[in-house]
């Protein structure tokens, strides 16, 4: 049995006519997604930080894949390879997307300066992994990834400020 009030809705006209290409999207969803999209395209600190977090998530996923794939080689080599791969990706995404600096900052500058900042993170995660293995011995991959995520998140806040104020700054570069 079908509810008669649903049959009178114009959003379902295509369903009654047998068309399967009907998309039911309330206006408020479209308006809200347009507002979020517009907000994320701005260049203030809040919008940049939101984009920074998204880029961090994408590059962290790449890091995790590389780390897991290279785990049989050992935690430190896997950490190094994951850090290099995710840093290359993150620096380019930050240059183009997070800070809209594609025209102001070259690829090489972004990799050199952003990579230098990421080096601090690599040292911190390497020390954290070494400490974890010293204290607890052999632990699982998930525990190691959780530790790396915590250290990387803390350093990420510092890195955001440094990237925003130094590497991708809108002030003129001498």
């Amino acid at each position: 049995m079908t509810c008669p009030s649903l049959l009178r809705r114009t959003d379902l006209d295509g369903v009654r006519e047998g068309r399967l290409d009907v998309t039911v999207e309330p206006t408020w969803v479209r308006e809200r997604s347009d507002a979020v999209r517009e907000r994320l395209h701005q260049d203030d600190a809040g919008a940049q930080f939101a984009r920074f977090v998204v880029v961090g998530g994408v590059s962290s996923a790449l890091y995790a894949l590389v780390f897991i794939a290279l785990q049989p080689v050992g935690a430190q080599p896997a950490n190094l390879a994951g850090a290099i791969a995710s840093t290359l990706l993150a620096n380019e995404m930050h240059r183009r997307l997070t800070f809209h600096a594609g025209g102001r900052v070259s690829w090489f500058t972004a990799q050199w300066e952003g990579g230098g900042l990421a080096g601090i993170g690599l040292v911190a995660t390497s020390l954290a992994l070494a400490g974890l293995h010293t204290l607890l011995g052999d632990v699982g991959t998930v525990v190691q990834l959780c530790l790396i995520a915590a250290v990387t998140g803390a350093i990420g806040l510092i890195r955001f400020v440094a990237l925003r104020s130094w590497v991708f700054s809108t002030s003129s570069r001498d």
Side-chain angles (χ1 to χ4, degrees), residues 7-108:
L7 291 177
R8 287 192 293 272
R9 291 187 58 189
T10 57
D11 288 347
L12 297 178
D13 285 344
V15 173
R16 283 195 308 238
E17 295 169 8
R19 291 190 319 239
L20 299 176
D21 61 342
V22 174
T23 302
V24 178
E25 181 181 272
T27 304
W28 67 270
V29 171
R30 189 173 26 261
E31 289 170 355
R32 184 69 180 144
S33 64
D34 289 345
V36 169
R37 194 174 305 113
E38 181 180 321
R39 175 71 181 103
L40 287 176
H41 280 86
Q42 296 176 2
D43 271 332
D44 60 277
Q48 287 176 343
F49 186 72
R51 293 189 303 263
F52 182 84
V53 170
V54 170
V55 168
V58 170
S59 63
S60 293
L62 175 62
Y63 173 91
L65 290 173
V66 171
F67 186 84
I68 290 167
L70 295 178
Q71 190 65 53
V73 179
Q76 293 295 352
N79 183 44
L80 177 62
I84 290 170
S86 66
T87 297
L88 289 171
L89 176 65
N91 287 340
E92 182 60 12
M93 289 178 74
H94 287 319
R95 183 176 83 92
R96 290 177 181 231
L97 303 173
T98 304
F99 298 105
H100 297 155
R104 293 189 320 268
V105 178
S106 71
W107 178 89
F108 179 79

